[in-house]
Amino acid sequence: MATATLRRQGNPLADPGHQLTVLQSRRLHRLFEDVLAQSGLDPLRASGIQVLQVNLGKLCNMTCAHCHVDAGPDRPEIMTRETAEACLAALACTDIPILDLTGGAPEMNPQFRWLVEETRRLNRHVIDRCNLTILRAPGYTDLPEFLAEHRVEIVASLPCYLEENVDAQRGNHAFTRSIEVLRHLNEIGYGDPRTGLQLTLVYNPIGSSLPPPQSELEDAYRRELASRHGIIFSRLFTITNMPIGRFLDHLLRTEKYDEYMEKLIGAYNPAAAAGVMCRTTLSVDWEGRLYDCDFNQMLEVTVRRGLPQNIREFDSERLAGRLITTGQHCFGCTAGAGSGCRGAIT
């Protein structure tokens, strides 16, 4: 469990540029662009914008060991009302069906409730990427009812159904607190197919392995959470740990970086590459800058030059068919069954 953000530690990897240097320096690894070209997919191009994913800031009540955002209680970056209004304006002038709110803990942004309310007035689907524990923190305990009232889908991180594994990755008592929140969410209708209130759980490996088959793991989660805790949920997403942020730090400290990268490269799947989330998603950071995906955002790799660079300059036509910027970290989304913010791809 990380006790402090990379930034607070003074770790060189707190600089996205240093992370890129590490990712690009290992010449023994095949280049993602070369592998993509061999699959007939280079250059990778967006096929539209189905999801506007907005990072409301890096402030979080947790400091999880795997976090690619390097979020935590000491992070001051947070989206302003003016930038949130620009995001809403982009939704209002298009038919983008989904607003995906992430962080940090997106709920800690003062604009969170307003943005949810205004987006629902536009009749768009809203996703809250939630760490669960924030919903029992002082000042946020009424949020479950607010989310239910506005029919917000909750996509909640729960990297295992076993307490020791969750606490190892997310901190002491994280599992117990998460279970308490999940029970309350069930009480108000989340996870019950009769209500339509979607509760999606998210698994990521504890260590440097690839996720198991999503459908099989979902069955195990359903069985174990129901029998041990009486909890139900709508579906499970499996997500591969990306070799960036705190997980990159872990790989380097344990001298497993090269081994993990070779594992990802060896498991490259052209079908997964064809369906990567960046082809239908546009990512916005707390300052309004635009990226092809959340992972590029954390590396500060913006959309290509010549395209609108900020949500204030939003141009749907130019961005919907844009060429996508890729790198070595993209092997994380294309390994095995593939991975992204919507779980396995194939």
Side-chain angles (χ1 to χ4, degrees), residues 162-183:
L162 298 175
E163 181 174 6
E164 57 269 30
N165 289 344
V166 172
D167 286 1
Q169 186 178 113
R170 307 186 72 209
N172 294 337
H173 312 299
F175 181 79
T176 299
R177 292 166 182 163
S178 296
I179 292 299
E180 290 173 359
V181 171
L182 287 171
R183 283 178 174 148

Side-chain angles (χ1 to χ4, degrees), residues 212-221 223 236:
Q214 184 167 282
S215 60
E216 294 179 15
L217 189 61
E218 181 176 308
D219 290 341
Y221 263 68
R223 181 179 65 251
L236 177 80

Side-chain angles (χ1 to χ4, degrees), residues 183-201:
R183 283 178 174 148
H184 180 57
L185 291 173
N186 280 173
E187 288 172 359
I188 63 174
Y190 270 100
D192 186 336
R194 294 170 298 181
T195 67
L197 293 173
Q198 292 190 340
L199 175 60
T200 301
L201 301 184

